[in-house]
Amino acid sequence: MKEKIPYYIRLSIILIILISPILVFQISWYFLGEKDGLLFTFCYGIVAVTYACYKFYLDNWRDED
């Protein structure tokens, strides 16, 4: 049987995923410019939030063991 990752590590992974658009915004603003960097960050943010929701609800990471 597959063991689950401990609850505090799962929440830490979700938190990193949800905070990562801030870092992506800073890097893309520098390399791509003002408008393209912001657009890239919005696209990345949509993917990051979608993945975090997938892990929370479909992989059942929101319940404590």
Side-chain angles (χ1 to χ4, degrees), residues 3-4 10-11 16 21 30 32 34 38 46 50 53 64:
E3 286 191 34
K4 277 188 154 182
R10 289 184 283 175
L11 287 183
I16 290 170
Y30 179 77
L32 299 176
E34 194 173 310
L38 187 62
I46 290 169
T50 303
C53 291
E64 222 172 316

Side-chain angles (χ1 to χ4, degrees), residues 7-60:
Y7 186 66
Y8 67 93
I9 294 177
R10 289 184 283 175
L11 287 183
S12 300
I13 292 170
I14 295 297
L15 187 63
I16 290 170
I17 291 170
L18 292 177
I19 291 176
S20 66
I22 297 170
L23 179 63
V24 170
F25 174 68
Q26 296 296 322
I27 293 170
S28 64
W29 184 284
Y30 179 77
F31 286 111
L32 299 176
E34 194 173 310
K35 290 183 181 179
D36 292 334
L38 187 62
L39 178 65
F40 180 75
T41 304
F42 278 130
C43 295
Y44 175 79
I46 290 169
V47 172
V49 170
T50 303
Y51 183 71
C53 291
Y54 169 79
K55 292 308 266 181
F56 253 162
Y57 294 107
L58 296 180
D59 281 352
N60 207 17

